[in-house]
């Protein structure tokens, strides 16, 4: 009995990241309830179709990039979408979602109060979080589209596993992905056959973050090699993932013709909530 008591005390004081936390999913349906803010367009050249079709994912879309995608529609309409469709309270966020995706939106466009809800949802309630690249993501590359501040010094930035000091533009510097260590996202995917992709930003991993994959086959001779492209960390009770690839727009359409693109996108959503990713790709390959 004394040994059991000591074990209990040890487990009680272990950091959450060292404990086997269960998947963060809807307790009723087992589905991952995802709030996707930014560029969840149901159009060729965007990842949204994979999320809509996946039976384990329940997707809520907020097209918050609309002010940049079509300036004629205007900044005010983008703000209207955010007012209408963002959760109205922290309880609303916690009760109806398991994961938040933010990409292709400036940090100044999401009110600080909502960002604080997301931060607490991850750290205290075990939410998953994912940010993919865009001119406005991470540190914010200096482009004609980017006028807002970077994410680094925001509540959302504090849960990201990366930070950025260099705001150079890397558009059209193409690369492929090379796994750095075995992990559920990259295992079994034939990365050497994937179409090349690119990103605007080159953020750096924070202390304590884990680099899962790096760039390879860079097309510009002067590009730095083996740059982190897939980075995560466990923070509090949750998990945050950074994918340094601009996954939306005409420039990445070849990726969405690749046989394995839906598998990759689904894994990016499964991993932050600790949902099981079958190691045998043939079991889920669409």
């Amino acid at each position: 009995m004394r040994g059991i008591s000591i074990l209990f005390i040890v487990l009680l004081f272990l950091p959450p990241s060292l404990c086997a936390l269960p998947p963060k999913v809807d307790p009723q349906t087992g589905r991952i309830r995802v709030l996707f803010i930014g560029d969840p367009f149901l159009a060729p050249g965007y990842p949204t179709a994979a999320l809509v079709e996946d039976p384990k994912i329940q997707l809520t879309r907020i097209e918050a990039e609309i002010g940049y995608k079509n300036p004629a529609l205007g900044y005010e309409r983008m703000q209207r979408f955010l007012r209408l469709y963002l959760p109205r309270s922290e309880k609303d966020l916690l009760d109806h979602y398991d994961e938040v995706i933010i990409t292709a939106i400036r940090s100044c466009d999401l009110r600080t109060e909502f960002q604080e809800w997301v931060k607490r949802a991850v750290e205290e309630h075990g939410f998953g979080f994912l940010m993919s690249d865009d001119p406005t993501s991470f540190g914010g590359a200096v482009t004609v589209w980017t006028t807002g501040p970077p994410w680094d010094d925001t509540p959302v930035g504090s849960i990201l596993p990366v930070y950025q000091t260099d705001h150079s533009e890397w558009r059209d510097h193409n690369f492929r992905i090379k796994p750095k260590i075995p992990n559920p996202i990259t295992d079994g995917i034939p990365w050497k056959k994937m179409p090349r992709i690119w990103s605007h930003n080159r953020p750096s991993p924070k202390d304590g973050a884990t680099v899962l994959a790096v760039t390879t086959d860079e097309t510009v001779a002067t590009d730095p090699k083996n740059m982190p492209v897939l980075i995560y960390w466990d923070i509090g009770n949750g998990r945050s993932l950074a994918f340094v690839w601009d996954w939306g727009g005409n420039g990445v359409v070849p990726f969405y013709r690749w046989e394995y693109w839906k598998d990759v996108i689904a894994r990016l959503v499964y991993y932050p909530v600790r949902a099981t990713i079958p190691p045998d790709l043939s079991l889920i390959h669409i």
Side-chain angles (χ1 to χ4, degrees):
M1 290 295 293
R2 187 172 182 273
I4 294 176
S5 299
I6 293 174
L7 177 61
F8 174 76
I9 292 172
V10 170
L11 291 174
L12 182 65
F13 287 96
L14 277 175
S17 60
L18 298 182
C19 300
L21 295 174
K24 177 68 176 78
V25 296
D26 184 347
Q28 303 299 321
T29 66
R31 301 178 75 189
I32 306 165
R33 298 166 296 179
V34 177
L35 177 63
F36 185 171
I37 306 166
D39 60 355
F41 301 108
L42 280 168
Y46 290 90
T48 318
L51 308 184
V52 171
E53 294 172 8
D54 193 304
K56 194 172 176 60
I57 296 172
Q58 177 182 311
L59 182 66
T60 298
R61 303 182 300 118
I62 302 181
E63 296 180 357
E65 193 195 17
I66 199 164
Y68 318 120
K69 182 178 175 63
N70 188 342
L73 294 175
Y75 174 79
E76 290 185 4
R77 183 170 179 180
M78 184 195 70
Q79 284 292 316
R80 177 172 173 267
F81 276 36
L82 292 173
R83 288 196 303 270
L84 286 174
Y85 302 121
L86 278 179
R88 302 298 176 87
S89 67
E90 186 169 6
K91 184 178 185 302
D92 189 15
L93 175 67
L94 297 176
D95 287 350
H96 295 100
Y97 298 99
D98 305 295
E99 181 171 346
V100 177
I101 300 173
I102 296 177
T103 187
I105 181 172
R106 300 177 304 179
S107 61
C108 57
D109 291 331
L110 275 179
R111 66 183 190 272
T112 301
E113 180 185 42
F114 176 76
Q115 293 193 44
E116 290 171 345
W117 297 348
V118 173
K119 174 180 168 66
R120 285 194 292 269
V122 173
E123 294 180 340
E124 300 177 15
H125 300 277
F127 267 50
F129 183 83
L130 168 63
M131 181 175 283
S132 185
D133 189 65
D134 178 82
T136 60
S137 296
F138 306 121
V142 178
T143 73
V144 295
W145 301 286
T146 306
T147 57
W151 288 93
D152 288 335
D153 297 324
T154 67
V156 164
S158 72
I159 61 173
L160 283 172
V162 295
Y163 67 94
Q164 184 155 320
T165 56
D166 179 9
H167 302 284
S168 302
E169 166 65 288
W170 293 85
R171 182 181 173 89
D172 297 329
H173 288 229
N174 301 300
F175 55 83
R176 291 191 177 93
I177 289 175
K178 179 176 68 175
K180 185 175 176 64
I181 60 173
N183 67 86
I185 298 180
T186 62
D187 289 352
I189 301 288
W191 295 105
K192 292 181 179 179
K193 297 181 179 179
M194 71 171 290
R196 282 185 172 86
I197 58 177
W198 51 269
S199 63
H200 295 273
N201 294 279
R202 291 290 192 273
S204 300
K206 293 179 181 176
D207 290 342
T210 299
V211 178
L212 301 179
V214 296
T215 64
T216 189
D217 297 336
E218 295 88 349
T219 57
V220 178
T222 56
D223 278 354
K225 306 300 187 287
N226 299 312
M227 293 293 289
V229 68
L230 190 60
I231 310 100
Y232 91 98
W233 67 359
D234 291 335
I235 178 168
N237 292 316
R239 175 173 290 174
S240 176
L241 177 66
F243 190 32
V244 189
W245 166 49
D246 188 343
W247 64 11
N250 294 330
V252 294
V253 168
F255 173 84
Y256 294 106
R257 299 192 183 108
W258 185 37
E259 182 181 2
Y260 295 92
W261 80 267
K262 290 182 180 179
D263 304 293
V264 173
I265 297 300
R267 288 179 176 200
L268 293 173
V269 174
Y270 280 38
Y271 192 71
V273 294
R274 298 182 171 87
T276 300
I277 297 174
D280 184 353
L281 200 61
S282 65
L283 296 177
I284 58 170
H285 190 220
I286 302 172

